[in-house]
Amino acid sequence: MNKRELVEAIADRVGDRKTATEAVNAVIDAIQKAVASGDKVSITGFGAFEMVNKPARTARNPSTGAEINVAESWAPKFRPGSDFKELVNTGGKKIGKRK
């Protein structure tokens, strides 16, 4: 599913494509800005978005074997929630909560 297909799926629930497009864009923008500023975004049952540090390291060029210095960087990370993992593991057929 791409962004256009997501907008269409939401438009079926909210009534019109313009409202759905604004909603999808607003959610994506809010998550990106929060994570980029160092905040963690947790959506219960869905998952958590956060920023992780990748420290500087030395790597090797696989074709020449030469050492390469890789600079420190930051990257977004997503960890799925338990409900999301369960849904994926059951092929989209949600199982009721276990006791």
Side-chain angles (χ1 to χ4, degrees):
M1 174 180 277
N2 59 31
K3 187 175 177 181
R4 182 179 45 82
E5 293 166 336
L6 178 61
V7 168
E8 290 299 325
I10 293 173
D12 291 342
R13 294 186 68 176
V14 298
D16 68 288
R17 195 165 194 277
K18 182 179 179 186
T19 303
T21 301
E22 290 173 5
V24 169
N25 288 337
V27 168
I28 292 171
D29 187 53
I31 291 171
Q32 287 177 335
K33 285 181 180 177
V35 172
S37 68
D39 293 336
K40 180 177 176 181
V41 178
S42 296
I43 303 171
T44 304
F46 180 68
F49 297 89
E50 60 188 319
M51 183 170 59
V52 294
N53 179 263
K54 294 185 174 191
R57 62 188 174 88
T58 302
R60 292 206 177 268
N61 181 332
S63 60
T64 65
E67 285 190 355
I68 301 169
N69 292 322
V70 179
E72 173 187 44
S73 64
W74 293 87
K77 179 179 177 183
F78 175 74
R79 283 184 333 206
S82 58
D83 290 349
F84 189 15
K85 283 193 259 188
E86 181 180 4
L87 187 64
V88 170
N89 283 322
T90 59
K93 300 174 188 89
K94 187 158 177 132
I95 297 173
K97 292 282 183 189
R98 294 183 203 127
K99 292 184 180 181

